[in-house]
């Protein structure tokens, strides 16, 4: 029992004792008073009747005596009236059966009233001629006592209720700081460090609240410091300190991971070579050279805006790398023109004296291409561009297998529309198992396979960038979710990938909210959103998460750590788990930096009670390393291969 309830119960018991004693004392006083009234009333009536009837008794006027006795007796206050002569002979006797109406029997037994009798002599001069005996009837006294008891009980009950309500409110006010402390402790257990309690007026409680607020602030500061340290570690290991873009290591690990997963769509990889950087350093100083590099990095970043999954990094002193998935030749050439034109404008801004600002070499690649082959082909294209004059570009195509599909923009659009319209995709699922217990499946992720023109199945990741560029991502998501809902089983948990574009589509979210009513699903869904989409549409995602949680479903962050996002967004989003990007988990055993970074990501996630899952785990050796780094779940061929649903 809580302290509040114990105090309320104690006060209630004390009040009941006081109430009962006071009620008994008052009732006993009323009973004594009424008993004395009965005695006095009987004696007064006997005396009065004896005086009034004396002349009639001497004259032996029986009718007159009966009339006088009846007049007194019929009022109902008396149980018995007797008029006797001195020899004991009865003259007039009236008697009424004792019947008490309107008063409970238990009350009569609990508070008994005696029926007192009184005698008076009937005198004729100095001679005694008879006696009058009057016995009071207790009925009216009981009725009066019962009415008094009810009134007292009503008053005391009303006062008790008012006192209890007042006491409850006062105790509530006094105990509110303790309730706030309890909620604050529960919030800390839930890894919510934002709750602050107003300081109470009670000195003892004030000290407790101050201590709790200080502890909450320190725990919050510890989390923020840990998140900052992890972000700083990521920037030190994977970003360029001058431009803020990723470094060569970041670019190569991300590109190799995406190309090696088999889920990467075709696209274009550019190498941008700035000209005249060394001359700027020598003539204007290194600060001017760094300013030129930062301006060029800004141009590169701006050209990636609106390109889903795009990647940019500084590869070396004056070279930048750009990877844009989902682009066909026409789109790639248009992007090359835009990038070259934007970089050439740096000369007119006075950031470089040379009119030849940069050259651009690009390589169009298809799914399954080798990173090293693509880089070599892009470098060859860069050499061709440099041989053609100032601010030129050149795009080449990586040789592909004969079976590889090559579509133009319109062909892609028609193909993807047909896939959605005709439902030409299959659902497979891959288990995510507990890192410390390979036999325990945490949930299964739904993987989409699209039927190509030759009938073979291709990973949907190859087509989704194309779908996003052509406005078909939401239609894809809707068709996939509809199919998944039809395959749900009671108690099952499935994870489904959701495009960031769909998060910004109000019509899609409204449809999904209606389809996720508890009666419409037999199991539980977890929607995985890529990290860049979560940070880009955080407010929309927070609203969507509240809708999901109200219906028993959840949200998760995919490709966690791929970008350089501030991990503070996790405190407000609170996903069920984060899936660490495969660039850090693939071959994690061979990189101390990757191990340290994965361990840091796990600590950040665990400090908010969020699970961390490693993807693309292909070997037992990688599994063992990740388990030692406190990863909660494992996904990859080492845990289980995808299978049709």
């Amino acid at each position: 029992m809580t302290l509040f309830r114990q105090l309320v119960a104690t006060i209630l018991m004390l009040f009941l004792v006081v109430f009962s004693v006071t009620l008994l004392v008052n009732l006993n006083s009323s009973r004594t008073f009424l008993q004395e009234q009965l005695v006095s009333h009987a004696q007064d009536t006997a005396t009065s009747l004896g005086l009034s009837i004396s002349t009639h008794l001497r004259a032996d006027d029986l009718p007159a005596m009966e009339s006088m006795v009846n007049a007194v007796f019929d009022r109902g206050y008396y149980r018995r009236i007797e008029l006797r002569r001195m020899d004991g002979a009865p003259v007039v006797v009236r008697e009424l059966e004792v019947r008490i109406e309107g008063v409970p029997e238990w009350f009569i037994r609990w508070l008994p009233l005696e029926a007192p009798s009184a005698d008076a002599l009937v005198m004729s001069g100095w001679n005694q001629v008879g006696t009058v005996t009057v016995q009071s009837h207790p009925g009216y006294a009981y009725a009066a006592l019962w009415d008094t008891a009810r009134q007292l009980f009503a008053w005391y009950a009303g006062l008790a209720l008012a006192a209890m309500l007042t006491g409850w409110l006062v105790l509530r006010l006094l105990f509110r700081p303790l309730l706030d402390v309890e909620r604050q402790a529960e919030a800390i257990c839930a890894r919510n460090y934002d709750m602050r309690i107003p300081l109470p007026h009670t000195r003892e409680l004030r000290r407790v609240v101050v201590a709790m607020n200080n502890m909450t602030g320190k725990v919050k500061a510890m989390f923020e410091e840990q998140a900052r340290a992890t972000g700083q570690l990521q920037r030190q290991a994977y970003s360029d300190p001058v431009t803020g873009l990723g470094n060569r290591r970041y670019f190569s690990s991300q590109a190799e991971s995406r190309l090696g997963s088999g889920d990467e769509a075709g696209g274009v990889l550019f190498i941008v070579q700035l000209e005249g950087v060394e001359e700027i350093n020598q003539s204007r100083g290194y600060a001017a050279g760094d300013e030129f590099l930062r301006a060029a990095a800004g141009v590169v970043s701006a050209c990636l805006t609106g390109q889903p999954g795009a990647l940019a990094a500084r590869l070396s002193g004056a070279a930048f790398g750009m990877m844009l998935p989902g682009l066909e030749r026409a789109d790639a050439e248009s992007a090359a023109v835009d990038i070259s034109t934007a970089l050439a404008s740096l000369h007119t801004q006075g950031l470089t004296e040379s009119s030849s600002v940069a050259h651009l070499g690009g390589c169009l690649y298809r799914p399954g291409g080798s990173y090293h082959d693509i880089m070599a082909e892009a470098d060859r294209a860069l050499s061709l561009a440099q041989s053609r004059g100032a601010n030129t570009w050149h795009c080449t195509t990586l040789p592909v297998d004969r079976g590889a599909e090559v579509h133009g923009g319109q062909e892609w659009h028609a193909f993807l529309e047909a896939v959605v319209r005709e439902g030409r995709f299959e659902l497979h699922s891959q288990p995510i198992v507990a890192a410390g217990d390979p036999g325990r499946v945490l949930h299964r992720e739904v993987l989409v396979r699209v039927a190509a023109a030759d009938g073979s199945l291709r990973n949907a990741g190859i087509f989704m960038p194309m779908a996003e560029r052509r406005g078909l991502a939401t239609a894809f998501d809707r068709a996939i979710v509809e199919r998944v809902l039809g395959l749900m089983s009671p108690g099952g948990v499935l994870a489904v990938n959701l495009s960031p574009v769909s998060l910004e589509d109000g019509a899609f979210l409204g449809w999904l909210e209606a389809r996720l009513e508890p009666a419409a699903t037999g199991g539980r869904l977890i929607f995985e959103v890529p990290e860049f989409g979560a940070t880009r549409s955080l407010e929309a995602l927070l609203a969507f998460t509240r809708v999901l949680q109200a219906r028993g479903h959840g949200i998760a962050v995919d490709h966690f750590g791929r970008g350089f996002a501030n991990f503070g967004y996790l405190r407000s989003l609170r996903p069920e788990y984060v899936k660490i990007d495969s660039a850090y988990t693939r071959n994690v055993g061979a990189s101390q930096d990757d191990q340290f970074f994965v361990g840091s990501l796990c600590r950040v996630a665990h400090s908010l009670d969020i699970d961390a899952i490693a993807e693309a785990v292909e070997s037992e050796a990688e599994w063992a390393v990740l388990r030692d780094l406190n990863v909660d779940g494992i996904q990859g061929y080492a845990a289980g291969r995808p299978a049709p649903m």
Side-chain angles (χ1 to χ4, degrees):
M1 183 182 292
T2 63
L3 178 61
F4 176 79
R5 291 183 178 178
Q6 291 181 34
L7 287 176
V8 170
T10 302
I11 293 173
L12 180 60
M13 290 177 61
L14 291 174
F15 191 86
L16 287 175
V17 170
V18 173
F19 167 76
S20 300
V21 171
T22 305
L23 183 62
L24 288 174
V25 169
N26 279 279
L27 286 177
N28 190 57
S29 298
S30 299
R31 173 179 170 276
T32 302
F33 173 77
L34 289 172
Q35 186 70 60
E36 292 175 353
Q37 285 291 99
L38 288 175
V39 173
S40 176
H41 192 246
Q43 186 62 60
D44 291 345
T45 302
T47 302
S48 175
L49 189 58
L51 292 174
S52 302
I53 210 169
S54 60
T55 57
H56 300 291
L57 182 60
R58 185 173 62 247
D60 201 18
D61 187 355
L62 184 59
M65 289 186 290
E66 288 181 346
S67 296
M68 294 183 69
V69 170
N70 289 339
V72 174
F73 185 80
D74 289 343
R75 293 166 60 190
Y77 290 106
Y78 307 101
R79 179 181 179 185
R80 181 181 179 85
I81 297 179
E82 293 182 355
L83 175 62
R84 294 179 180 273
R85 298 184 187 278
M86 290 306 298
D87 58 2
V91 179
V92 179
V93 178
R94 294 295 306 274
E95 188 173 5
L96 180 66
E97 182 183 356
V98 177
R99 295 176 60 186
I100 302 173
E101 298 180 354
V103 181
E105 287 293 332
W106 62 266
F107 186 78
I108 296 173
R109 292 193 300 270
W110 182 40
L111 292 173
L113 287 174
E114 297 180 0
S117 60
D119 298 323
L121 294 174
V122 180
M123 304 294 292
S124 177
W126 294 101
N127 297 320
Q128 298 179 1
V129 295
T131 59
V132 175
T133 301
V134 177
Q135 185 179 20
S136 296
H137 195 298
Y140 287 105
Y142 271 119
L145 187 60
W146 173 243
D147 289 340
T148 301
R150 288 192 301 174
Q151 292 176 7
L152 285 174
F153 184 82
W155 274 102
Y156 278 115
L159 291 174
L161 184 61
M164 288 173 58
L165 182 60
T166 303
W168 184 83
L169 291 175
V170 171
L171 286 176
R172 273 290 181 188
L173 291 175
L174 292 176
F175 274 79
R176 179 177 294 175
L178 289 181
L179 295 175
D180 291 339
V181 168
E182 179 184 0
R183 285 193 290 268
Q184 188 179 43
E186 292 174 349
I188 292 174
C189 292
R191 307 301 195 271
N192 182 358
Y193 310 122
D194 293 327
M195 184 176 179
R196 305 285 292 181
I197 305 175
L199 296 180
H201 298 292
T202 307
R203 184 171 56 185
E204 292 80 4
L205 294 178
R206 189 183 186 92
R207 290 199 294 264
V208 174
V209 170
V210 168
M212 285 296 296
N213 284 341
N214 290 339
M215 183 185 71
T216 302
K218 289 182 179 179
V219 173
K220 180 180 179 181
M222 289 171 58
F223 164 76
E224 292 176 346
E225 178 61 29
Q226 187 177 47
R228 280 195 299 269
T230 302
Q232 185 177 5
L233 169 67
Q234 184 187 28
R235 287 188 291 273
Q236 289 175 350
Y238 301 103
S239 71
D240 175 59
V242 176
T243 63
L245 296 177
N247 56 20
R248 187 181 191 92
R249 178 182 181 183
Y250 171 77
F251 188 81
S252 61
S253 64
Q254 287 289 333
E256 288 180 355
S257 174
R258 298 185 191 187
L259 293 169
S261 67
D263 292 333
E264 182 69 15
V268 62
L269 187 148
F270 289 124
I271 297 179
V272 179
Q273 181 67 49
L274 300 180
E275 307 295 342
V277 176
E278 187 63 31
E279 289 76 5
I280 295 175
N281 288 336
Q282 293 178 358
S283 61
R284 299 185 183 181
Y286 286 98
D290 290 345
E291 183 182 0
F292 176 53
L293 289 173
R294 282 191 289 270
V299 170
V300 169
S301 298
C303 291
L304 299 183
T305 303
Q307 301 285 347
L311 182 66
R314 183 185 177 194
L315 303 181
S316 61
F320 292 84
M322 302 172 66
M323 188 174 183
L324 291 83
L327 268 64
E328 291 300 310
R329 174 168 287 278
D331 297 326
E333 291 177 350
S334 176
V337 171
D338 292 340
I339 296 169
S340 296
T341 303
L343 288 172
S345 68
L346 298 180
H347 171 66
T348 60
Q349 298 174 28
L351 295 174
T352 176
E353 296 177 357
S354 174
S355 59
S356 180
V357 178
H359 291 89
L360 189 72
C363 174
L364 288 158
Y365 62 89
R366 295 294 162 195
S370 164
Y371 169 70
H372 296 288
D373 292 343
I374 296 171
M375 285 292 291
E377 195 68 20
D379 190 60
R380 189 177 70 83
L382 176 63
S383 298
L384 289 174
Q386 289 173 327
S387 67
R388 293 179 178 177
N391 300 319
T392 55
W393 58 269
H394 180 75
C395 282
T396 184
T397 301
L398 185 72
V400 296
D401 296 335
R402 183 173 299 178
E405 294 179 284
V406 180
H407 294 303
Q410 294 300 320
E411 290 177 308
W412 270 118
H413 193 89
F415 172 74
L416 294 174
E417 278 190 330
V419 168
V420 175
R421 183 177 61 253
E422 300 170 11
R424 285 166 33 192
F425 59 86
E426 294 183 8
L427 299 183
H428 292 216
S429 69
Q430 187 175 29
I432 289 84
V433 303
D437 184 5
R440 183 164 66 93
V441 176
L442 302 178
H443 62 272
R444 306 184 74 87
E445 181 180 358
V446 176
L447 305 175
V448 182
R449 301 290 185 258
V450 176
D454 59 359
S456 61
L457 296 178
R458 305 293 177 85
N459 295 345
I462 296 174
F463 301 99
M464 283 307 293
M466 308 292 183
E468 290 178 354
R469 289 178 57 82
R470 287 158 179 80
L472 296 173
T474 300
F476 254 98
D477 285 342
R478 184 165 181 165
I480 292 167
V481 171
E482 191 72 59
R483 181 84 63 86
V484 170
L485 289 175
L487 297 174
M488 293 291 292
S489 60
V493 182
L494 295 177
V496 181
N497 289 280
L498 202 62
S499 169
V501 177
S502 298
L503 291 175
E504 301 169 355
D505 190 322
F508 172 79
L509 294 180
W511 169 83
L512 186 59
E513 182 177 347
R515 289 294 285 116
L516 292 180
E517 288 294 337
T521 59
R524 189 165 178 272
L525 288 176
I526 302 174
F527 290 91
E528 293 187 3
V529 180
E531 184 181 53
F532 80 90
T535 55
R536 185 182 70 182
S537 307
L538 184 58
E539 292 302 321
L541 185 57
L542 288 174
F544 179 53
T545 301
R546 287 191 289 269
V547 171
L548 290 178
Q549 292 175 344
R551 287 158 176 75
H553 305 288
I555 199 79
V557 175
D558 199 7
H559 303 308
F560 184 57
R562 172 173 287 187
F564 297 101
N566 187 332
F567 298 133
Y569 75 92
L570 293 176
R571 282 201 302 116
S572 54
L573 182 59
R574 296 302 179 90
E576 296 199 12
Y577 61 83
V578 293
K579 190 175 289 185
I580 301 173
D581 190 65
S582 60
Y584 307 111
T585 59
R586 192 184 299 271
N587 299 320
V588 66
S591 172
Q592 292 293 326
D593 287 341
D594 285 348
Q595 292 177 30
F596 189 77
F597 184 59
V598 169
S600 299
L601 291 179
C602 290
R603 286 190 291 273
V604 170
H606 292 162
S607 68
L608 293 172
D609 205 22
I610 300 171
D611 288 341
I613 294 175
E615 61 181 358
V617 181
E618 309 298 334
S619 68
E620 294 293 336
E622 292 175 352
W623 188 326
V625 172
L626 292 167
R627 183 177 59 244
D628 292 340
L629 294 174
N630 292 323
V631 168
D632 300 289
I634 299 293
Q635 181 180 15
Y637 283 179
R641 291 179 175 271
M645 295 182 66

